[in-house]
C-alpha cells in the first residue's frame, strides 16, 4: 500500500501528468541553453514512448516498462531544471 491509500498506477498517472505540465511550461518559458536542457527530458521520454509503442506492436506486454522506468528520471530532471532556473532568475533579478 502506498502513502495516502493510492495505488501504484495512480501515482504513475499523477507523475506523468505533472511531468507533462512541467515539460510544456519549461519549453514555453525557458530560452537559450535552458530550453535546450529542457528538451533533454522530452527527447528521453519520447524515445521511451516510441520503444514502448514499437514493443506493443511487436506483441510484447512488458514494453511499457520503459515509460515507467524513464518517468522518474525525466521528472527529476525537469524539477531540478526548474529549481536551478528559478535560483538563476532570482539571483539575476536581485543584481539588476
Amino acid at each position: 500500500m502506498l502513502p495516502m491509500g493510492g495505488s501504484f498506477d495512480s501515482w504513475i498517472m499523477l507523475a506523468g501528468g505533472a511531468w507533462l505540465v512541467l515539460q510544456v511550461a519549461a519549453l514555453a518559458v525557458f530560452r537559450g541553453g535552458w530550453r535546450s536542457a529542457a528538451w533533454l527530458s522530452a527527447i528521453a521520454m519520447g524515445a521511451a514512448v516510441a520503444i514502448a509503442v514499437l514493443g506493443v506492436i511487436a506483441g510484447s506486454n512488458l514494453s511499457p516498462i520503459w515509460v515507467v522506468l524513464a518517468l522518474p528520471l525525466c521528472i527529476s530532471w525537469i524539477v531540478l531544471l526548474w529549481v536551478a532556473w528559478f535560483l538563476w532568475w532570482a539571483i539575476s533579478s536581485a543584481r539588476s
Side-chain angles (χ1 to χ4, degrees):
M1 189 85 168
L2 293 172
M4 295 185 281
S7 68
F8 183 70
D9 294 343
S10 62
W11 283 96
I12 290 293
M13 294 300 289
L14 180 65
W19 172 80
L20 188 59
V21 168
L22 290 172
Q23 183 66 49
V24 169
L27 292 175
V29 172
F30 296 167
R31 299 286 180 252
W34 292 103
R35 183 179 281 179
S36 298
W39 273 109
L40 183 64
S41 67
I43 291 169
M45 187 57 76
V49 168
I51 290 169
V53 168
L54 291 174
V56 167
I57 290 171
S60 172
N61 62 345
L62 289 177
S63 61
I65 196 73
W66 291 106
V67 176
V68 174
L69 293 174
L71 186 58
L73 297 172
C74 290
I75 200 164
S76 297
W77 176 258
I78 203 71
V79 166
L80 289 173
L81 193 62
W82 271 106
V83 168
W85 179 82
F86 180 75
L87 290 173
W88 170 82
W89 176 80
I91 290 170
S92 65
S93 294
R95 289 184 181 175
S96 299

